[in-house]
Amino acid sequence: MSTTTTDERREAGNGEKFADWADGRLGIYTLAKTNMRKIFPDHWSFMLGEICMYSFIIIILTGVYLTLFFHPSMNEVVYDGSYVPLQGVQMSEAFNSTMHISFDVRGGLLIRQIHHWAALIFLAGMFVHMMRVFFTGAFRKPREVNWLFGFLLFFCGMFTGFTGYSLPDDLLSGTGVRFMEGAILGVPVVGTYLSFFIYGGEFPGGDFVARFYSVHILLLPGIMLGLMITHLILVFYHKHTQFAGPGRTNKNVVGAPLLPVYTAKAGGFFFLVFGVIAIIAAIASINPIWEIGPYRPDQVSTGAQPDWYMGFAEGLIRVMPGWEINLWGHTLVLGVFIPLVIFPLVLFAIAAYPFIEAWITKDTREHHIADRPRNAPVRTGIGVAWVTAYMVMLVGGGNDLWATNFHLSLNAITWFVRIAFFVGPVVAFIITKRICLGLQRRDAEKVLHGRETGIIKRLPHGEFVEVHEPLDAGQLYKLTAHEQTRPAELPAAVDENGVKRKVSAMEKLRVKLHKGYFGEQSQIAKPTAEEFEEITSGHGHH
């Protein structure tokens, strides 16, 4: 039999008093009671968002360490560090301090590598995560605003990565910064002013490293942190989407609670992500600036490509013909201006897509059940078309590397990219849509006839048939739970009083797009209950 001493009772009482005091002022207990038992789905695709979050945490942790040793200055010094081939070479303090981190700071090179790889994996994770949200329709009401926050997070991540990539002031990143300066100068009217503002004078100026450094470690990470917190708050508030299945509705979430199951899994997954990134950083070198050397305006490094996430913008400018027009004594460089128009238009289309689809469908309901991509062929085709265009321009952004490594003509690659940018997405859309429709037909066959077993049976009259195994109720529900929207129709030309109706051009366009999304050529009708009953009752079922 155990006994409790007076001191133990006093300690317990003091602990309870402190807990009551904290809860009365911070609401910790109430908040925990409300959210600690929140349910999270257990589908693997929801881990993509976690990879992004954990990579961002790793970026912050390693970035803080690197700031302790990096000097964001373009003042010229002579290198006298441990790397013998560069001793006596004149370079900026930024490059010199990066060399010092790489060769003279304990663990410095590994931290640099982890920081850079984590940034690449963060953006790759964001890309795939957004595609998962897009293909499953998880951006629909009430998550349109959260889609915008995710998009802005990806957008800010691109430029945070670009500014960080430029800080070492090596020949490769300096060439990329020079490329950006040329693009900025191509902006009509304000291009020169923007260039002088960013670089502090004529390129390369004397301040751009310090300015990029402030943007890289303060402005953009602060914005991204705010966006990520807001994104997570909205995820908690709206709850997760989930795929259709028995017991899953728009009013519940089936999965594991935050405490203790999901928290334990998430903690383990964080260290798994950290470990994988550390292993990659330890064995795969990235941005070896000692081999490239410090930046000099009169030199250009070979194979000068930015990190992959900027490849689309780079490709647009590389493959665009060098057209120019002269207006009123001023030259407009279309070879730069047109890509500068296309790039933000593509970004705007990505950001606005949830609102565009909502306008087409006029669907104001809340959606918490995720679509299977095959059941939304047009949307899935649009997504694959966009990824195709991105990958084509990624080839364009590295056309010189493709040419040298595969012994191909640079002009042939450039012309291939120019044509494929317009043809490739169309072909990808058509193929993807047909694949989705084919998968819908296969699902309908499974519902009516069951799953093929591979067992061949001979009937008494000599016919050979394959035995099919009927699906259970849960599998049938998954294959038939999706909604099928009827295509919209324009109202009659005249109303019941014989008065001609006025239909706006926008409404006509909306109805046409709606038919494109949900017409006969865009979805396969689900089997009806009568068809299922007829087949399973023995007529035609084996």
Side-chain angles (χ1 to χ4, degrees):
M1 182 176 178
S2 62
T3 58
T4 304
T5 64
T6 304
D7 290 340
E8 288 174 342
R9 286 196 299 268
R10 185 181 298 113
E11 288 178 5
N14 291 337
E16 290 176 1
K17 288 180 181 179
F18 177 76
D20 290 339
W21 181 88
D23 185 57
R25 288 154 181 81
L26 303 176
I28 296 174
Y29 175 77
T30 305
L31 183 66
K33 185 178 180 181
T34 304
N35 295 303
M36 290 301 101
R37 297 297 294 175
K38 182 176 176 62
I39 304 299
F40 285 80
D42 54 4
H43 194 271
W44 66 267
S45 65
F46 294 99
M47 297 168 66
L48 295 169
E50 294 180 43
I51 292 174
C52 302
M53 182 173 68
Y54 299 153
S55 300
F56 184 73
I57 293 172
I58 294 167
I59 292 168
I60 297 297
L61 294 175
T62 53
V64 169
Y65 183 81
L66 293 174
T67 58
L68 302 177
F69 306 99
F70 182 73
H71 300 292
S73 169
M74 296 184 70
N75 294 332
E76 295 290 329
V77 297
V78 176
Y79 181 71
D80 60 354
S82 302
Y83 188 69
V84 176
L86 287 181
Q87 287 180 356
V89 175
Q90 196 170 26
M91 59 185 63
S92 66
E93 282 192 50
F95 188 92
N96 182 62
S97 63
T98 308
M99 291 292 294
H100 176 69
I101 292 170
S102 301
F103 289 97
D104 300 306
V105 174
R106 187 178 295 275
L109 180 58
L110 179 62
I111 298 297
R112 266 195 68 221
Q113 298 270 110
I114 291 175
H115 187 74
H116 201 149
W117 274 113
L120 295 180
I121 291 173
F122 168 76
L123 285 161
M126 283 291 298
F127 186 88
V128 179
H129 176 59
M130 289 182 69
M131 288 298 98
R132 197 276 301 173
V133 172
F134 180 86
F135 287 128
T136 62
F139 54 78
R140 293 172 295 176
K141 183 182 177 180
R143 297 177 180 83
E144 302 98 328
V145 174
N146 215 14
W147 168 269
L148 283 180
F149 285 132
F151 166 77
L152 291 173
L153 195 57
F154 180 74
F155 179 78
C156 290
M158 290 172 58
F159 287 94
T160 306
F162 178 78
T163 53
Y165 154 90
S166 305
L167 290 180
D169 197 31
D170 59 286
L171 189 57
L172 177 62
S173 66
T175 303
V177 174
R178 178 73 183 201
F179 179 91
M180 188 187 80
E181 190 249 358
I184 291 171
L185 290 176
V187 178
V189 183
V190 299
T192 306
Y193 299 99
L194 286 175
S195 176
F196 269 67
F197 173 76
I198 292 171
Y199 297 106
E202 286 279 359
F203 181 85
D207 297 328
F208 92 82
V209 169
R211 295 184 181 190
F212 277 27
Y213 183 71
S214 299
V215 171
H216 181 71
I217 71 165
L218 291 175
L219 179 62
L220 290 176
I223 295 172
M224 291 175 68
L225 183 61
L227 288 170
M228 181 167 286
I229 292 172
T230 307
H231 185 76
L232 293 174
I233 289 173
L234 287 177
V235 167
F236 262 76
Y237 177 71
H238 292 142
K239 71 187 179 184
H240 278 78
T241 57
Q242 58 186 344
F243 288 99
R248 300 176 183 180
T249 69
N250 275 314
K251 297 182 179 180
N252 69 355
V253 178
V254 177
L258 180 60
L259 279 178
V261 179
Y262 186 79
T263 303
K265 288 183 177 180
F269 191 47
F270 169 74
F271 289 106
L272 181 62
V273 172
F274 205 150
V276 169
I277 292 176
I279 291 172
I280 295 173
I283 64 177
S285 178
I286 187 170
N287 197 21
I289 61 168
W290 52 90
E291 294 182 1
I292 303 169
Y295 178 67
R296 287 180 52 180
D298 60 335
Q299 295 181 355
V300 175
S301 64
T302 57
Q305 278 78 33
D307 287 331
W308 69 269
Y309 47 85
M310 298 299 291
F312 183 82
E314 173 108 0
L316 283 172
I317 293 180
R318 282 199 184 199
V319 305
M320 181 69 193
W323 297 339
E324 294 181 356
I325 57 174
N326 293 304
L327 295 173
W328 304 292
H330 297 277
T331 301
L332 179 60
V333 184
L334 295 178
V336 177
F337 178 70
I338 291 178
L340 289 178
V341 172
I342 293 175
F343 185 56
L345 284 178
V346 170
L347 294 177
F348 175 78
I350 296 171
Y353 183 84
F355 304 95
I356 296 171
E357 185 173 304
W359 172 72
I360 293 172
T361 61
K362 294 294 182 181
D363 188 355
T364 58
R365 298 169 300 164
E366 289 193 1
H367 293 272
H368 302 291
I369 300 295
D371 287 336
R372 299 174 78 201
R374 67 185 63 181
N375 294 328
V378 174
R379 181 202 298 147
T380 303
I382 291 172
V384 173
W386 146 242
V387 173
T388 302
Y390 193 98
M391 294 306 171
V392 166
M393 277 304 156
L394 203 57
V395 173
N399 56 359
D400 54 341
L401 286 181
W402 285 89
T404 54
N405 288 316
F406 293 97
H407 307 290
L408 300 172
S409 165
L410 182 67
N411 289 333
I413 294 173
T414 301
W415 273 104
F416 166 79
V417 172
R418 287 173 179 173
I419 297 170
F421 181 68
F422 296 99
V423 177
V426 176
V427 173
F429 175 85
I430 294 171
I431 293 175
T432 302
K433 184 179 174 183
R434 289 183 65 85
I435 290 174
C436 289
L437 293 175
L439 292 173
Q440 286 188 39
R441 290 189 184 95
R442 191 183 72 171
D443 288 347
E445 288 293 318
K446 279 186 179 181
V447 170
L448 293 176
H449 301 288
R451 182 180 290 105
E452 297 175 354
T453 63
I455 300 174
I456 305 299
K457 180 180 179 181
R458 184 177 183 180
L459 299 180
H461 59 275
E463 180 186 0
F464 287 92
V465 296
E466 182 178 11
V467 177
H468 287 68
E469 178 186 355
L471 303 181
D472 60 36
Q475 293 170 325
L476 287 172
Y477 181 81
K478 288 181 180 179
L479 297 182
T480 57
H482 59 283
E483 298 178 351
Q484 290 196 315
T485 305
R486 296 181 61 183
E489 297 288 346
L490 286 172
V494 295
D495 60 19
E496 62 276 8
N497 299 317
V499 179
K500 186 177 180 181
R501 283 193 174 95
K502 291 183 179 180
V503 182
S504 66
M506 290 298 291
E507 179 62 16
K508 292 179 180 178
L509 174 63
R510 188 193 74 80
V511 170
K512 190 172 183 178
L513 291 173
H514 196 278
K515 288 182 178 180
Y517 267 72
F518 305 110
E520 292 182 1
Q521 301 300 318
S522 298
Q523 58 183 353
I524 304 300
K526 293 191 296 184
T528 63
E530 292 76 15
E531 290 174 329
F532 180 76
E533 180 65 27
E534 181 182 358
I535 291 291
T536 55
S537 63
H539 302 290
H541 182 70
H542 304 295

